[in-house]
Every structure is written in structure tokens, then in C-alpha cells.
Amino acid sequence: MIHAIISYFDSSSAEYVHALWQHIAIAVAAVTLAIVAGFPLGVLSSRNRVARSIVTGTLSTLRVIPSLALLFLIVVLTGQVGFQVALFALTVLALPPVMINTTVAFSHLPPATVEAAEALGMSSFKIFWQVKLPLAAPVVFAGIKTATTEVIASATLAAFIGGGGLGTLIFTGLGLMRTDLLVIGGASVAALSLASLALLNLCERRLIPWKHLPS
């Protein structure tokens, strides 16, 4: 097994690096698009009780759909395959945790704190950026971390529809009964998930230091 893995990297290191970068690229793009779309929509939906109920209910239901089923459903609806379709599917997958957490975070802000800011004469712009966002940030960031780990794992399935990435190694290994490719692909996805979580935790400590202050 170890000899086969070493042999693969000796002969196909460029192929591996290409698959790895494809996986990272599609995951980063999907999470970024989910944040760009989900954060403002979550903030807006938090301001209306009916909209909040609809958003959380609909997106919670969407999260129940298995990733593979969602991929194939989008392929059927669009009639296309490839990187762009896989990116769209993964963005849809990343949207619920980002948008739900944003909605919940901005819906449960301490009223007294916001009222105090208003009493001090702060503008709506300053209240949002200096009061509401810092208070909501930990919950919002938790949604981003959830979305990232889910997308990295689900991006493996993108190979089914021509999205590339580390999933190509896994599915090739399954087709050729090559355990070395299964181990390399699976271990790489696991390592990438752990590395991304560690990076996000580091970013969280830098961007939201007050969350980690001793109580």
C-alpha cells in the first residue's frame, strides 16, 4: 500500500496537485458566493418575523436533502454538467447555514444594547457596523465554518458531474479497485477539512477576539 502511494506521487504528482487546487478553488468560490448572497439576505430577513420564519423553515428543509441528490437534481434542471454546474450546486448547499445563522444572529440581538446606541445618537450605519455586527459575528462565523466543512466534503461528489477535484481520485480508485487512490483521495479531503477549520478558527480569533475572552 505505502509503496503504491509513493509510486503514485512519483508518477502523478502534477495530476494530484491539479485535483487538489480544483477542489480548493470550487470550495472557496462556493463559500464566498454563499456569503455574498446569504449574509445580506439573512440580515434583511431578520427584520421581519414572517420572512424569518419562511427563510429558516425553507432552508432547514433544504439542508435535509442529501448532497448527491441535490447535485443530480440541479443537473436535471439545468441539463448541463461541469465545473459551473458543480459550483452552483455547492453554493446552494453552502447557502442555508450562512443565511440561517445570519438570520438567527441578527434576530436575537440584546435590545437594551441597541437602544443604548440609539440613545447616544449613533446613526443606523454606525449601529449596524459598531454594535449589531460585532454582537452577531460569532453566530454568523459559526455558519460560515459549517458551510465550509460541508462544501469541502460535498465537493468530492462534484466529480460525478464533471466538477473535478479530489473526488476524481476517489471515483477512479473505486472504478479500478485501487486502494491507494481511495486512501490518497479520502485522506486529502479529510486533511483539507481539518486545515480549513484550523484556518477559520485562527481567523475567528483575529476577527472576533472578544468571543474568546474568559467569562
Side-chain angles (χ1 to χ4, degrees), residues 85-106:
V85 176
L87 175 59
F88 176 71
L90 292 173
T91 301
V92 172
L93 184 69
L95 192 60
V98 173
M99 193 167 171
I100 289 174
N101 276 45
T102 301
T103 302
V104 171
F106 281 91

Side-chain angles (χ1 to χ4, degrees), residues 149-168:
T149 54
E150 288 183 0
V151 165
I152 289 175
S154 299
T156 307
L157 302 174
F160 260 131
I161 59 173
L166 294 168
T168 55

